Amino acid sequence: MFTDHFHDDLALFSDVLLGADAGPSKTAIPARALTDPARLEPLLVQFGEQHECTEPRARASQWSKYFFARLGIATLVAQLATDQALAFNLDNLHIVCDDDNTTSQFVFVQGAALHPERPGHDFSALVDNAFAPVVATLAQQCRLSTRVFWSNAGVYFDWALGELERQQRIPPERLAAVRALMACRQRPDGGFNPFHRIHKRCPPGTLDGNREPVEQCRRLCCMRDLDSRWDLCSNCPRAMHRAEPDRATG
């Protein structure tokens, strides 16, 4: 639906948003299923089995990353490229899952996908109508703080914005409007802004989990290492460390 607007590393997300006439290659299910614990739980369990993860909080957090990355990144690109907000409604949206039951595509099954009266830097529908119901269900189901899931969402959103800034294909005033949004505790409409303060600054000389110099890291740990299947993410605040000084020899 917005394929032509995705370039370089963002091209991986070019087929995430589909119109009703696109005909996804796999069976689509109502997106509302993600807010029904009885329907969401099998997706999480099967995801855990595929990845040999049995800890409920770890698998829910890791599963959520695919949901937030694919929907959040695709929405950011589509909205800024068209300068129109997407009209999200879980009752008018279907999802397609990959073999491990992570969400891979989102199908607008009826009506116009774009909201004619809201600009592209308005992400209130994404946050309130798509993300928030799923976050609430995940948090209740696995007994993990909603702050962890919102942090997962914000990290990918921030990464994608950085990619768009690097590519310089989007008008700079649209990119600046999103950066301004991320600097505010609340959205302009007074609503919750999950993209605020996603990262924190690191002291000079800090190395990340890959032992690479880093200036910032995510503010909250995703808690995936609650299961021994996964280590800390390289940008996890708990993975940050200072370089050890060289020791004199001889």
Side-chain angles (χ1 to χ4, degrees):
M1 191 159 58
F2 303 101
T3 304
D4 293 343
H5 301 303
F6 292 79
H7 305 279
D8 302 336
D9 288 345
L10 296 174
L12 294 171
F13 303 90
S14 62
D15 65 345
V16 169
L17 300 175
L18 302 176
D21 57 347
S25 58
K26 297 181 180 180
T27 302
I29 63 175
R32 186 61 67 181
L34 299 182
T35 66
D36 180 355
R39 302 185 70 180
L40 177 60
E41 181 65 14
L43 297 181
L44 299 177
V45 170
Q46 292 169 28
F47 168 78
E49 291 174 350
Q50 288 275 347
H51 295 275
E52 300 179 353
C53 171
T54 59
E55 211 290 326
R57 293 166 295 178
R59 73 187 179 203
S61 179
Q62 193 70 4
W63 178 92
S64 77
K65 294 178 183 181
Y66 294 88
F67 172 74
F68 294 127
R70 288 166 177 164
L71 183 55
I73 291 173
T75 299
L76 175 69
V77 175
Q79 289 197 180
L80 291 187
T82 61
D83 199 23
Q84 284 186 279
L86 290 169
F88 283 105
N89 181 337
L90 289 185
D91 293 323
N92 294 332
L93 199 66
H94 282 190
I95 59 171
V96 179
C97 292
D98 277 342
D99 293 339
D100 64 352
N101 282 316
T102 54
T103 52
S104 61
Q105 293 177 307
F106 299 82
V107 185
F108 291 87
V109 295
Q110 59 181 336
L114 292 171
H115 196 298
E117 300 176 358
R118 294 184 178 179
H121 60 268
D122 182 346
F123 294 95
S124 55
L126 173 70
V127 172
D128 296 339
N129 301 340
F131 280 179
V134 178
V135 167
T137 307
L138 285 167
Q140 181 179 18
Q141 187 134 346
C142 71
R143 307 300 180 187
L144 193 62
S145 171
T146 58
R147 295 176 66 230
V148 172
F149 295 109
W150 285 120
S151 177
N152 288 347
V155 166
Y156 291 107
F157 191 88
D158 181 72
W159 172 81
L161 180 59
E163 283 296 301
L164 290 176
E165 291 170 335
R166 182 186 62 79
Q167 292 177 12
Q168 299 183 346
R169 295 174 181 269
I170 301 294
E173 63 272 15
R174 299 181 194 174
L175 299 172
V178 184
R179 278 296 174 201
L181 169 68
M182 298 181 74
C184 299
R185 184 176 296 277
Q186 291 183 314
R187 303 192 310 249
D189 62 3
F192 170 60
N193 180 15
F195 308 126
H196 175 57
R197 297 185 69 202
I198 292 301
H199 294 97
K200 65 179 181 180
R201 301 293 298 179
C202 296
T206 299
L207 303 180
D208 65 11
N210 293 329
R211 298 191 60 79
E212 296 291 336
V214 65
E215 296 181 353
Q216 67 176 17
C217 66
R218 59 182 296 165
R219 187 169 296 276
L220 291 177
C221 172
C222 74
M223 308 303 292
R224 74 174 191 173
D225 71 311
L226 286 170
D227 193 285
S228 59
R229 170 67 177 81
W230 288 299
D231 297 324
L232 295 175
C233 302
S234 62
N235 66 340
C236 177
R238 294 163 55 207
M240 300 300 113
H241 60 284
R242 300 296 299 275
E244 295 182 3
D246 293 333
R247 295 180 180 177
T249 60

